[in-house]
């Protein structure tokens, strides 16, 4: 990509004074050509990623429609719940394959939140605040089924109990997950910073808990290192645990004293 090509070439000004006008012109031409080629490659890759996203969106819409039809078809036997080990593997794969954004980060890239009028689409994964069996509230990983513009409410399914637990929630109880990774090497400002309060998916679970950023990612493939709030430890926080960019969102609740 252009950003990486820029870093691999020496600054034009540092070498232009040491060559003749002929080679200076030729060097300028090579730089211009390299820049144009990199930008063209970037545009091709963006179009390919857009097409992949479009295909994935269509597949999600069909899957959601089939699931809804199955739920309301009494003649079909109930679906089996996905085994937990399989679910954890799928969640890990989803985090690993989250595309990396190149260029100025848009909303839903890294730590950048969605715009105020954004509505998550069917099939999108979100953090959803729901009431547990004991009456307490918790943040869970959920999948959007539908959104009603008339009531401004989502219908979401608990990702851990597909087809069994459906919740109707207001928009303030739903946080869309990042759709792209932010590049720490070029856009560190698009990531949560050290000691920032977040909601993070606890490893090997489908629940989000409050945590402090211990260290942001240093490379595009790196995870966050976070400290989960845990009263069983003397300082109130767990040892550092790794959580992918995909499963870290802003926490709007005040920090506990």
């Amino acid at each position: 990509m252009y950003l990486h090509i820029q870093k691999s070439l020496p600054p034009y000004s540092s070498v232009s004074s040491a060559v003749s006008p002929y080679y200076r012109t030729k060097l300028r031409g090579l730089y211009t050509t390299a820049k144009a080629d990199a930008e063209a490659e970037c545009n091709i890759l963006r179009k390919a990623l857009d097409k992949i996203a479009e295909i994935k969106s269509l597949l999600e819409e069909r899957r959601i429609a089939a699931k809804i039809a199955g739920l309301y078809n009494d003649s079909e036997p109930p679906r089996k719940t996905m085994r937990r080990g399989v679910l954890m593997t799928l969640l890990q794969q989803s985090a690993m394959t989250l595309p990396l954004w190149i260029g100025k980060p848009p909303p839903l890239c890294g730590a950048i939140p969605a715009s105020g009028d954004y509505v998550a689409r069917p099939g999108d994964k979100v953090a959803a605040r729901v009431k547990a069996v004991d009456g307490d509230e918790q943040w869970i990983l959920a999948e959007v089924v539908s959104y009603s513009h008339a009531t401004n409410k989502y219908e979401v399914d608990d990702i851990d109990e597909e087809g069994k637990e459906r919740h109707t929630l207001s928009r303030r109880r739903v946080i869309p997950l990042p759709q792209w990774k932010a590049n720490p090497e070029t856009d560190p400002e698009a990531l949560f910073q050290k000691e920032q309060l977040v909601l993070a998916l606890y490893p090997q679970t489908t629940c989000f808990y409050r945590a402090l950023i211990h260290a942001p990612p240093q490379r595009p493939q790196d995870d966050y290192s976070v400290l989960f709030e845990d009263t069983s430890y003397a300082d109130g926080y767990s040892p550092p645990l790794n959580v992918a960019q995909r499963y870290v969102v802003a926490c709007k609740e005040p920090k506990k004293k």
Side-chain angles (χ1 to χ4, degrees), residues 3 42 70 75 158 186 218:
L3 291 175
C42 183
S75 64
D158 185 338
T186 58
Q218 299 301 307

Side-chain angles (χ1 to χ4, degrees), residues 155-200:
E155 278 197 336
V156 304
D157 282 345
D158 185 338
I159 199 71
D160 199 22
E161 296 288 339
E162 187 171 2
K164 292 185 178 181
E165 293 292 334
R166 179 158 295 179
H167 306 272
T168 300
L169 304 171
S170 61
R171 291 182 63 172
R172 64 185 178 84
R173 288 178 169 265
V174 173
I175 304 176
L177 298 189
Q179 295 183 355
W180 299 278
K181 293 179 185 175
N183 190 340
E185 297 173 348
T186 58
D187 304 292
E189 72 283 354
L191 294 163
F192 294 109
Q193 301 304 308
K194 184 177 177 64
E195 297 187 353
Q196 192 167 352
L197 183 65
V198 297
L199 290 173

Side-chain angles (χ1 to χ4, degrees), residues 116-119 146-155 168-174:
D117 59 351
Y118 179 80
V119 174
S146 63
Y147 177 78
S148 171
H149 289 277
T151 62
N152 288 327
K153 291 186 177 181
Y154 284 100
E155 278 197 336
T168 300
L169 304 171
S170 61
R171 291 182 63 172
R172 64 185 178 84
R173 288 178 169 265
V174 173

Side-chain angles (χ1 to χ4, degrees), residues 2 32 44 187 191 196 207 239:
Y2 170 55
T32 301
I44 292 172
D187 304 292
L191 294 163
Q196 192 167 352
C207 291

Side-chain angles (χ1 to χ4, degrees), residues 5-101:
I5 290 175
Q6 268 192 321
K7 291 183 177 180
S8 65
L9 295 173
Y12 173 75
S13 59
S14 66
V15 296
S16 61
S17 59
V19 298
S20 66
Y22 169 77
Y23 286 107
R24 191 180 306 159
T25 301
K26 189 172 183 178
L27 181 61
R28 185 185 295 114
L30 290 173
Y31 268 87
T32 301
T33 301
K35 179 181 177 182
D37 289 346
E39 289 176 343
E41 180 183 358
C42 183
N43 288 333
I44 292 172
L45 290 173
R46 284 195 188 283
K47 289 179 180 179
L49 288 173
D50 287 343
K51 184 60 66 175
I52 292 172
E54 182 181 344
I55 293 171
K56 289 176 68 176
S57 178
L58 289 173
L59 290 174
E60 285 291 336
E61 289 178 6
R62 291 181 180 180
R63 185 179 64 81
I64 293 293
K67 185 169 77 170
I68 293 175
L71 286 174
Y72 294 103
N73 188 345
D74 295 332
S75 64
E76 293 185 1
R79 292 186 179 185
K80 294 182 179 179
T81 302
M82 186 182 302
R83 288 185 301 172
R84 190 166 191 81
V86 175
L87 176 59
M88 293 299 109
T89 299
L90 290 176
L91 295 182
Q92 184 179 17
Q93 290 176 346
S94 176
M96 292 176 61
T97 58
L98 192 68
L100 176 68
W101 185 268

Side-chain angles (χ1 to χ4, degrees), residues 116-129:
D117 59 351
Y118 179 80
V119 174
R121 299 166 298 181
D124 282 357
K125 304 300 185 295
V126 297
R129 189 172 186 176

